[in-house]
Amino acid sequence: RQAAFRTDLSVLLDQVGTGKESLSFMKRRIRRLAQQWATAANRLDAKLEQQWRDQKKVLVHVGFLTEESGDVFSPKVLKGGPLGEMVQWADILTALHVLGHNLKISMSVKELQGFLGVPPGRGSCPLTGPLPFDLIYTDYHGLQQMKQHMGLSLKKHKCHIRVIDTFGTEPAYNHEEYATLHGYRTNWGYWNLNARQYMTMFPHTPDNSFMGFVSEELNETEKRSIQQNKVNNMAVVYGKEASMWKLQQGKESFLQILHRYMEVHGTVYYETQRPPEVPAFVKNHGLLPQHELQQLLRKAKLFIGFGFPYEGPAPLEAIANGCIFLQPKFNPPHSSLNHEFFRGKPTSREVFSQHPYAEQYIGRPHVMTVDYNNSVEFDSAIKEIMRTKVEPYLPYEYTCEGMLERVHAYIQHQDFCAPEPPFIPANLSRKGSAGGSRMMGPLFVPLPNTTALGWASNVTAPPAWPPLSSLRLLVSQEGQSCVEACQSAGFICEPAHFRFINNKEALRGLDVQCEVVDSEINHILPAFSVVRQECGLQREPLLFSCAGHSPKYRRLCPCRDFRHGQVALCRDCL
Ligand code: U2F
């Protein structure tokens, strides 16, 4: 069946259910953004020009909100607890509904069992018939619950699963045996999924897919009125929980410096008294409902982060409402090796500021990232912010249309169930490879077009997605990952393209000198050592990794182009 866009959200609101603060929060959000979603649906509908869209049977099982996982989030909704996850789930549900899919929502193990058709009960009972869904969106808690209640049949059906995973899971942590043998085992990883089945909140880990969420959009009239009503010396602090304010009591209190120039506002949750962490000069509004926070941000000039929470939605909302976001640089970077919050998370990613997306994808004048220990630098940043005029800004990928476009593309094109056919590449052309200067900077090999790269004629292969036309082969520096290598050349690493470059022809096309070419199981492969003239190809497709790097190896990197404001999609991806 063809999916038809929906602009009426009442059925969705009924499906979400009642009885918990988390559900009420999500429903308030869905209602508040309903008009915005409807407009976006109409625009995307027109943009896709009658393109066929399959209607999928989709199950959304929100594991972290189930009683069985302890549901620690719901009781904290009105008390300053994390809301980012609920923002994202509300938006995922809305996107799936608006795109016209056949949606079922489960928030308990009992509902999960009902939808899957496995008998209720505690033990593991395999699902005997076919899976009644094309796609299941869940999280790590939900995955665990499915394992408990579907037993072995989970393995058979896991290609249909998508895991919403805020901070991402790198391939080395996802491969059970490899993770166990090489010290990448955590409480979360080791599910042996295709790493693109993990979907993140920001496009920070290209090994995973970028799901995202949306932020409020303004029309031209609203933008103009915001700019006219900005209060130049008004700052709002990022941090709705008192403990987040502790971080600012470092060497010299930068909050004091800020207070010299600006009126400081906060939205910190409190019960009866002002929390001791929040100085008396701060005008604390208490935790606000989302729409009231937006109103406050419309007046404020500055939204300032103290280093935590990492990578939440609030800075995007602030920037969308015309604030400048000021945030601390982390030197050394925070990661699972040195910071409690990231410890045990299935990623080695290094975080260089509180909100790397804001820093890298938005940047000045909307975002300023400075060293908070340097009071001179901090002081001059504040002065600059007060002088600078900025327009409200929201990257396309965080608009409703952008999210619908991306989720539509994933649903129609990502297929982890189809067997990946053996790839028999034609000879790569040597023409255009960097020849003599081959060990100097990044090398590009113009790849032949899709027809020249033939699949074995006896297999009917699904067309590659992203299409091969988007591929740019590049060699990293020693110690550099493909994430960085592609980025520094203005591209993005595309894990789906690894299978096209994991071969001797690619090495030959790059004029790499190999004494030996081995095929091994190691997440830095394909790669080569210049000194030893050793080349290695990847033997385990699950370990294709954009993130991997090693000091002695230069990696072969499958980069691709991307759309301006929609990094998840290449130019020809729609
Ligand atoms: C992130 O979670 P948080 O909930 O701490 O993220 P925030 O950026 O603070 O914002 C979440 C929402 O809270 C709303 C605001 C945001 O959409 O509009 N809000 C509000 O309604 N009232 C207020 O007074 C203040 C904010 C991240 F999203 C999670 O994935 C992480 O687990 C967490 C820790 O890093 O940070």
Side-chain angles (χ1 to χ4, degrees):
R1 271 183 68 175
Q2 156 103 279
F5 280 101
R6 297 190 187 105
T7 50
D8 180 350
L9 304 186
S10 48
V11 172
L12 173 67
L13 286 162
D14 286 344
Q15 278 183 294
V16 172
T18 49
K20 280 185 179 194
E21 276 311 328
S22 47
L23 303 183
S24 314
F25 175 87
M26 286 161 64
K27 282 162 82 167
R28 280 197 298 276
R29 177 172 175 84
I30 295 172
R31 276 195 211 99
R32 190 167 64 83
L33 299 177
Q35 187 50 52
Q36 203 173 297
W37 282 107
T39 312
N42 292 331
R43 280 205 209 132
L44 184 62
D45 196 6
K47 186 172 178 181
L48 294 179
E49 295 174 340
Q50 314 287 312
Q51 203 185 99
W52 178 272
R53 297 187 302 114
D54 274 342
Q55 187 189 45
K56 305 278 184 182
K57 283 177 274 172
V58 180
L59 172 64
V60 174
H61 175 62
V62 190
F64 84 106
L65 291 180
T66 61
E67 291 304 317
E68 290 85 353
S69 77
D71 186 12
V72 290
F73 282 71
S74 298
K76 291 195 192 151
V77 167
L78 298 177
K79 300 188 171 183
L83 296 174
E85 283 76 1
M86 273 161 256
V87 163
Q88 192 183 25
W89 278 106
D91 295 350
I92 293 170
L93 288 170
T94 317
L96 294 168
H97 174 86
V98 169
L99 285 169
H101 296 293
N102 183 344
L103 185 60
K104 296 279 184 283
I105 304 171
S106 138
M107 308 259 188
S108 71
V109 168
K110 204 168 147 212
E111 286 169 305
L112 174 72
Q113 288 172 319
F115 287 132
L116 291 177
V118 298
R122 291 172 137 248
S124 143
C125 191
L127 171 69
T128 42
L131 186 73
F133 294 97
D134 302 306
L135 281 167
I136 301 179
Y137 291 86
T138 189
D139 52 17
Y140 268 126
H141 293 284
L143 203 52
Q144 191 64 44
Q145 291 166 346
M146 282 193 246
K147 184 177 169 187
Q148 255 164 31
H149 298 278
M150 285 165 75
L152 282 178
S153 54
L154 177 69
K155 230 181 188 161
K156 199 166 93 197
H157 299 302
K158 71 180 182 187
C159 61
H160 298 277
I161 295 175
R162 306 291 182 268
V163 182
I164 304 302
D165 170 19
T166 306
F167 296 95
T169 297
E170 288 176 7
Y173 293 80
N174 164 64
H175 189 282
E176 182 172 18
E177 202 187 327
Y178 189 77
T180 312
L181 287 174
H182 297 93
Y184 294 107
R185 199 169 169 109
T186 62
N187 289 338
W188 302 106
Y190 66 85
W191 287 89
N192 292 320
L193 300 177
N194 183 315
R196 279 170 288 143
Q197 288 173 265
Y198 299 100
M199 307 188 91
T200 58
M201 189 128 161
F202 288 92
H204 44 213
T205 304
D207 285 308
N208 303 142
S209 299
F210 159 49
M211 169 55 83
F213 58 95
V214 304
S215 188
E216 198 177 22
E217 290 163 59
L218 306 170
N219 61 33
E220 291 308 316
T221 328
E222 286 168 322
K223 278 189 192 166
R224 230 172 301 126
S225 110
I226 284 186
Q227 279 174 293
Q228 279 159 8
N229 296 320
K230 276 282 168 202
V231 181
N232 259 337
N233 66 344
M234 175 176 169
V236 175
V237 172
Y238 183 17
K240 50 187 149 55
E241 234 243 315
S243 65
M244 295 166 185
W245 289 58
K246 273 200 199 120
L247 302 161
Q248 60 85 26
Q249 286 150 359
K251 293 178 194 158
E252 187 183 349
S253 167
F254 43 81
L255 200 46
Q256 293 286 352
I257 305 182
L258 176 64
H259 176 53
R260 253 184 249 150
Y261 303 100
M262 299 183 96
E263 186 181 290
V264 185
H265 293 245
T267 65
V268 188
Y269 167 74
Y270 64 95
E271 243 143 52
T272 47
Q273 284 170 357
R274 167 183 293 272
E277 296 86 347
V278 180
F281 60 77
V282 174
K283 188 167 168 15
N284 187 20
H285 302 259
L287 186 75
L288 294 176
Q290 275 202 311
H291 70 277
E292 287 183 36
L293 174 69
Q294 309 288 323
Q295 297 308 319
L296 193 68
L297 293 172
R298 284 179 181 208
K299 283 202 270 166
K301 186 67 188 288
L302 166 64
F303 189 62
I304 177 171
F306 289 162
F308 193 83
Y310 299 106
E311 306 184 308
L316 290 192
E317 295 167 4
I319 297 162
N321 282 296
C323 298
I324 294 178
F325 176 51
L326 177 65
Q327 61 159 352
K329 197 180 273 176
F330 296 152
N331 187 14
H334 296 185
S335 75
S336 51
L337 296 179
N338 64 9
H339 260 256
E340 202 42 53
F341 182 82
F342 288 109
R343 188 154 301 148
K345 291 200 166 43
T347 172
S348 310
R349 186 164 64 97
E350 295 190 308
V351 174
F352 288 84
S353 60
Q354 181 172 4
H355 205 296
Y357 177 85
E359 182 182 5
Q360 288 171 14
Y361 285 76
I362 304 179
R364 277 170 179 269
H366 306 279
V367 179
M368 288 178 67
T369 306
V370 306
D371 176 4
Y372 279 21
N373 289 321
N374 181 338
S375 44
V376 179
E377 195 182 330
F378 185 83
D379 193 287
S380 72
I382 304 289
K383 287 191 201 133
E384 187 182 335
I385 288 166
M386 291 175 70
R387 293 196 299 269
T388 311
K389 285 221 175 322
V390 295
E391 284 194 19
Y393 174 67
L394 182 63
Y396 178 72
E397 55 207 358
Y398 283 97
T399 64
C400 292
E401 187 184 333
M403 181 161 180
L404 287 175
E405 180 184 85
R406 183 169 64 246
V407 176
H408 147 74
Y410 286 148
I411 291 181
Q412 302 301 322
H413 298 291
Q414 278 188 334
D415 182 355
F416 304 111
C417 295
E420 296 224 325
F423 180 66
I424 303 183
N427 281 343
L428 288 177
S429 105
R430 276 164 175 263
K431 217 170 54 192
S433 72
S437 62
R438 65 185 177 272
M439 295 311 167
M440 307 304 291
L443 304 178
F444 289 96
V445 172
L447 284 166
N449 60 28
T450 326
T451 40
L453 290 164
W455 294 95
S457 53
N458 56 348
V459 283
T460 38
W465 195 87
L468 260 176
S469 57
S470 64
L471 170 59
R472 301 287 178 283
L473 173 59
L474 193 153
V475 177
S476 79
Q477 303 295 334
E478 276 151 359
Q480 196 182 34
S481 70
C482 289
V483 178
E484 296 163 323
C486 295
Q487 216 164 50
S488 62
F491 293 100
I492 180 115
C493 179
E494 176 50 71
H497 286 337
F498 266 114
R499 60 190 173 127
F500 301 113
I501 65 156
N502 184 46
N503 49 51
K504 289 184 183 163
E505 286 73 14
L507 289 164
R508 221 177 291 141
L510 291 165
D511 272 347
V512 176
Q513 313 292 315
C514 309
E515 289 257 301
V516 276
V517 182
D518 279 333
S519 151
E520 281 172 47
I521 296 183
N522 187 319
H523 74 287
I524 67 150
L525 300 176
F528 60 92
S529 152
V530 178
V531 181
R532 289 190 248 156
Q533 302 207 337
E534 266 171 26
C535 299
L537 298 177
Q538 180 61 262
R539 198 137 54 94
E540 169 53 271
L542 286 184
L543 283 174
F544 281 138
S545 164
C546 294
H549 57 88
S550 160
K552 297 199 177 80
Y553 282 86
R554 297 187 71 180
R555 304 201 52 203
L556 265 59
C557 298
C559 308
R560 68 158 163 83
D561 60 60
F562 57 87
R563 291 168 174 246
H564 178 69
Q566 181 74 289
V567 71
L569 302 182
C570 67
R571 254 193 335 253
D572 300 332
C573 267
L574 270 184

